[in-house]
């Protein structure tokens, strides 16, 4: 139940990739006919990505993943538009691929506004507007959050940015196959995505760049990707990403209905069975597959370990599991205390999950939390089971 | 990430709980990590006859407190004071490098309890110069008690 971390690769995706490892191993840049199949595979994938976003094929550039796409979008816009301004607006709950990139740009002399979010994790488009100055060159707000699943009012934010002549980038890594996307209707100038979040291969991604947008190159070298991103193409990976995005966006609504049904039963079941628990994120504006809880008096890593021992994979925003000293910046940004952030648990459903998995989770989790509360010094006596000797 | 032996200690920790008429209680909390470890001792003369714990923290913290309480049962106060975090790690087999500080917490909790015992008996506490997660040993409650 950790599909937000990564997904398995669909058999259809693997099958689509297979010929490009050995049979069609040609370099798409080569002149001879043999390379034609590789080139065709890459261009078909580009078409599939464009179709999924409502974009043109020539606005899609393949990268080695979501992090590279985020880095390229933000650094590329910053460096290419420096004479116009040096101010970037983003949110406090972005993925580190965005936040650390912005922090790096601050060291290069740019100034960055990190907008707060409300208790549900939403950015207020009004705050975006208020933060825009005549030095602002870019607004970067993610489409959906990877920890708490909150979906942002992207179209409103895009409109605000465009009203002020500012470029708008969105990290849509978690949104592909979950949120219907139309880059024109949503006012998006740049969009990042990553193959391994929608049943495609790891280490593959893409950046959408609206035609005419000024973006400096990040990876210099050969003339691949129309001179915008150097490096011999990861042909099988790109083919796999193309197949995966076509599958993931074929029936978003149907997929969401099935997943949200399971998720809602899971959330209700957990909150009914476990006292002193809260669900984090937005009640309705959220990814269909995401459930995020805080359980008081217990620590997230120990929850994960006991769940793992019972065959359930999950994730937490606790610092103890990441080895860093601060718990999740997202959970702190929505106003959770350190203790609540430490006691967080993220469950993200996907195509591999069934109603039986939900049953199993509902059977195991109350026991796990109960056992850890038995151990914790923070648990009030009233919330503790009688001590066994 | 953890060895099987450590996982066994986490899934089946020993000596969980409190001692109602404890002769000593030691609590350490590490603000940086948001973890809290509390150790209760029953001491007869110079011997630790019972040791129990409550811990809020990661798996390594739970495993370390469980193992530490097992180790010091039956020891004299001086012997228990000499138990180092390396001894706890050794008894556990191994801990990931990033988790070694959680075993330091266990040693600090033992020492805090021993000094509580000494103080209650009107003796000078033994000298503490040790570190937890953030390089400090504290008594009071942890960072986010509420
Ligand atoms: C929102 C978001 N952005 C970016 C990334 C990074 O993507 P990748 O792992 O492909 O570099 C992730 C993946 O964890 C993500 O969830
Ligand atoms: S208690 Fe926080 S890392 Fe061990």
């Amino acid at each position: 139940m950790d599909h937000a971390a990564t997904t398995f690769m669909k058999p259809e995706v693997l099958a689509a990739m297979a010929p490009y490892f050995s049979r069609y191993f040609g370099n798409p840049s080569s002149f001879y006919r043999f390379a034609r199949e590789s080139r065709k595979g890459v261009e078909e994938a580009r078409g599939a990505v464009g179709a999924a976003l409502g974009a043109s094929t020539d606005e899609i550039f393949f990268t080695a993943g979501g992090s590279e796409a985020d880095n390229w979008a933000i650094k590329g816009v910053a460096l290419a538009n420096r004479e116009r301004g040096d101010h970037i607006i983003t949110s406090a709950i972005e993925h580190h691929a965005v936040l650390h990139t912005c922090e790096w740009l601050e060291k290069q002399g740019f100034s960055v506004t990190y907008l707060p979010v409300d208790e549900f994790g939403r950015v207020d488009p009004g705050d975006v507007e208020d933060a825009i100055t005549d030095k602002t060159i870019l607004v970067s707000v993610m489409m959906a959050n990877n920890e708490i699943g909150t979906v942002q009012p992207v179209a409103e934010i895009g409109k605000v940015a465009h009203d002020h002549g500012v470029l708008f980038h969105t990290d849509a890594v978690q949104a592909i196959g979950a949120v219907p996307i139309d880059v024109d209707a949503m006012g998006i100038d740049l969009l990042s995505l990553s193959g391994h979040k929608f049943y495609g291969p790891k280490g593959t991604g893409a950046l959408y760049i609206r035609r005419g947008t000024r973006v400096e190159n990040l990876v210099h070298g050969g003339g691949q990707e129309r001179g915008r991103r150097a490096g011999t193409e990861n042909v099988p990976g790109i083919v796999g990403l193309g197949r995966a995005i076509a599958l993931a966006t074929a029936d978003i609504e149907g997929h969401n209905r099935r997943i949200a049904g399971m998720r809602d039963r899971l959330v209700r079941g957990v909150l009914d069975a476990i006292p002193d628990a809260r669900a984090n994120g937005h009640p309705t504006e959220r990814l269909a597959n995401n459930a995020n809880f805080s359980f008081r008096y217990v620590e997230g890593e120990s929850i994960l370990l006991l769940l793992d021992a019972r065959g359930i994979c999950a994730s937490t925003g606790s610092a103890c599991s990441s080895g860093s000293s601060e718990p999740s910046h997202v959970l702190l940004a929505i106003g959770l205390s350190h203790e609540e952030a430490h006691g967080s648990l993220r469950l993200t459903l996907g195509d591999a999950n069934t109603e039986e998995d939900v049953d199993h989770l509902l059977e195991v989790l109350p026991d796990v939390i109960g056992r850890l509360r038995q151990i914790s010094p923070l648990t009030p006596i009233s919330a503790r089971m009688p001590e066994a000797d | 990430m953890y060895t099987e032996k450590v996982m066994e200690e986490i899934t089946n920790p020993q000596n969980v709980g409190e001692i109602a008429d404890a002769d000593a209680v030691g609590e350490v909390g590490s603000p940086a990590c948001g973890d809290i470890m509390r150790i209760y001792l029953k001491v007869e003369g110079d011997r630790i006859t019972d040791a129990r714990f409550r811990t809020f923290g990661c798996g390594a913290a739970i495993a370390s407190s469980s193992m530490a309480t097992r180790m010091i049962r039956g020891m004299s106060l001086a012997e228990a004071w000499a138990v180092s975090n390396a001894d706890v790690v050794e008894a556990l087999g191994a801990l990931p490098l990033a988790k070694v500080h959680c075993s330091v917490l266990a040693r600090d909790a033992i020492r805090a309890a021993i000094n509580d015992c000494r103080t209650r008996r009107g003796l000078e506490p033994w000298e503490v110069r040790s570190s937890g997660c953030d390089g400090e040993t504290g008594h009071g409650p942890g960072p986010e008690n509420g």
Side-chain angles (χ1 to χ4, degrees):
Chain A
M1 296 194 170
D2 198 20
H3 283 78
T6 195
T7 51
F8 66 94
M9 225 170 62
K10 289 212 168 132
E12 301 95 303
V13 174
L14 182 58
M17 292 169 71
Y20 292 89
F21 283 104
S22 50
R23 198 149 109 234
Y24 307 133
F25 67 85
N27 186 324
S29 303
S30 298
F31 184 69
Y32 34 77
R33 272 171 302 158
F34 175 64
R36 218 180 272 161
E37 282 304 325
S38 312
R39 198 153 51 228
K40 199 164 138 241
V42 169
E43 292 317 315
E44 277 173 13
R46 202 185 305 284
V49 175
L53 304 178
S56 309
T57 306
D58 63 350
E59 296 173 307
I60 307 300
F61 300 87
F62 292 112
T63 67
S67 300
E68 187 194 324
D70 284 339
N71 271 263
W72 185 9
I74 297 168
K75 291 176 189 167
V77 166
L79 296 176
N81 296 277
R82 203 163 198 171
E83 77 287 357
R84 282 210 256 156
D86 60 1
H87 179 229
I88 295 168
I89 298 169
T90 187
S91 85
I93 63 162
E94 298 297 311
H95 190 270
H96 283 134
V98 168
L99 287 181
H100 290 336
T101 300
C102 287
E103 286 158 16
W104 181 82
L105 281 172
E106 283 184 284
K107 284 196 224 137
Q108 313 305 314
F110 288 87
S111 78
V112 181
T113 302
Y114 301 91
L115 293 176
V117 293
D118 65 16
E119 58 181 312
F120 306 117
R122 293 260 283 186
V123 171
D124 181 345
D127 288 350
V128 176
E129 181 140 42
D130 292 345
I132 291 177
T133 70
D134 54 2
K135 292 256 184 281
T136 308
I137 50 177
L138 178 70
V139 172
S140 178
V141 174
M142 69 202 317
M143 195 170 285
N145 182 265
N146 46 302
E147 289 187 44
I148 54 175
T150 301
V151 175
Q152 299 297 341
V154 167
E156 283 96 315
I157 296 170
K159 180 165 187 319
V160 166
H162 284 186
D163 285 350
H164 292 82
V166 174
L167 294 171
F168 177 44
H169 165 252
T170 189
D171 174 338
V173 167
Q174 292 287 338
I176 302 295
V179 180
I181 298 174
D182 182 326
V183 287
D184 289 337
M186 293 170 141
I188 296 165
D189 299 302
L190 304 107
L191 177 148
S192 311
L193 58 88
S194 171
H196 72 106
K197 307 288 186 179
F198 48 85
Y199 311 94
K202 294 173 178 51
T204 68
L207 179 64
Y208 156 80
I209 306 177
R210 179 176 294 282
R211 208 174 292 142
T213 305
R214 287 163 52 152
V215 184
E216 200 55 64
N217 288 353
L218 186 68
V219 182
H220 301 276
Q224 290 88 356
E225 295 298 281
R226 304 175 307 291
R228 303 299 298 275
R229 196 272 188 185
T232 300
E233 297 84 344
N234 171 9
V235 178
I238 289 170
V239 168
L241 181 144
R243 188 84 191 96
I245 202 166
L247 291 170
T249 53
D251 177 21
I252 294 178
E253 211 181 300
H255 175 262
N256 279 350
R257 209 175 309 120
R258 185 184 93 84
I259 299 281
M262 285 198 287
R263 190 271 319 271
D264 291 345
R265 188 164 76 85
L266 185 153
V267 172
R268 243 177 293 118
V270 167
L271 295 180
D272 283 352
I274 305 176
D276 293 332
R278 59 167 276 171
N280 299 315
H282 200 284
T284 55
E285 298 301 312
R286 67 185 301 127
L287 294 174
N289 77 334
N290 175 293
N292 190 302
F293 303 98
S294 283
F295 302 106
R296 300 201 54 189
Y297 325 126
V298 297
E299 189 281 321
E301 188 207 90
S302 47
I303 304 175
L304 299 195
L305 291 169
L306 296 194
L307 286 178
D308 190 26
R310 311 277 292 268
I312 298 169
C313 303
S315 153
T316 174
S318 168
C320 295
S321 74
S322 65
S324 74
S325 56
E326 276 285 299
S328 151
H329 63 286
V330 176
L331 298 175
L332 296 181
I334 60 171
L336 264 56
S337 68
H338 275 65
E339 188 210 322
E340 288 168 317
H342 268 285
S344 75
L345 177 71
R346 180 187 74 177
L347 299 167
T348 43
L349 303 178
D351 286 357
N353 291 122
T354 60
E355 295 288 350
E356 284 72 54
D357 294 336
V358 175
D359 292 337
H360 182 52
L361 185 275
L362 291 178
E363 193 182 295
V364 168
L365 188 60
D367 178 56
V368 163
I369 301 298
R371 283 167 54 166
L372 290 172
R373 284 183 174 171
Q374 202 69 5
I375 300 175
S376 172
L378 300 177
T379 315
I381 302 202
S382 56
R384 222 171 242 154
M385 292 177 280
E387 210 91 72
D389 218 349
Chain B
M1 163 176 165
Y2 293 118
T3 62
E4 243 165 73
K5 190 165 174 192
V6 176
M7 273 309 293
E8 174 56 28
E9 206 73 30
I10 296 169
T11 46
N12 272 313
Q14 305 297 303
N15 308 322
V16 173
E18 290 156 25
I19 300 174
D21 56 343
D23 298 307
V25 183
E27 176 170 304
V28 289
S30 147
C33 279
D35 35 33
I36 297 166
M37 199 179 284
R38 196 184 288 160
I39 286 186
Y40 301 81
L41 301 180
K42 193 89 199 118
V43 187
E44 275 164 35
D46 189 38
R47 281 277 135 213
I48 297 172
T49 55
D50 196 5
R52 288 176 183 270
F53 79 94
R54 286 208 190 278
T55 291
F56 166 76
C58 71
I62 293 172
S64 297
S65 19
S66 169
M67 184 52 81
T69 51
R70 283 162 47 156
M71 290 167 76
I72 60 171
R73 281 183 162 198
M75 281 187 175
S76 71
L77 289 177
E79 284 165 346
W81 183 272
V83 169
S84 71
N85 81 296
D87 296 333
V88 176
V89 175
E90 195 186 311
L92 285 169
L95 278 184
L97 210 55
K99 294 292 180 180
V100 169
H101 73 90
C102 312
S103 65
V104 175
L105 222 53
R107 179 205 58 189
D108 291 351
I110 294 171
R111 292 186 171 186
I114 291 171
N115 272 342
D116 182 46
C117 179
R118 290 181 60 83
T119 313
R120 288 191 199 191
R121 290 174 176 182
L123 301 168
E124 276 290 301
W126 283 329
E127 191 197 339
V128 182
R129 27 143 210 104
S130 69
S131 61
C133 184
D134 62 341
E136 276 177 306
T137 293
H139 279 240
E144 292 286 331
N145 233 339

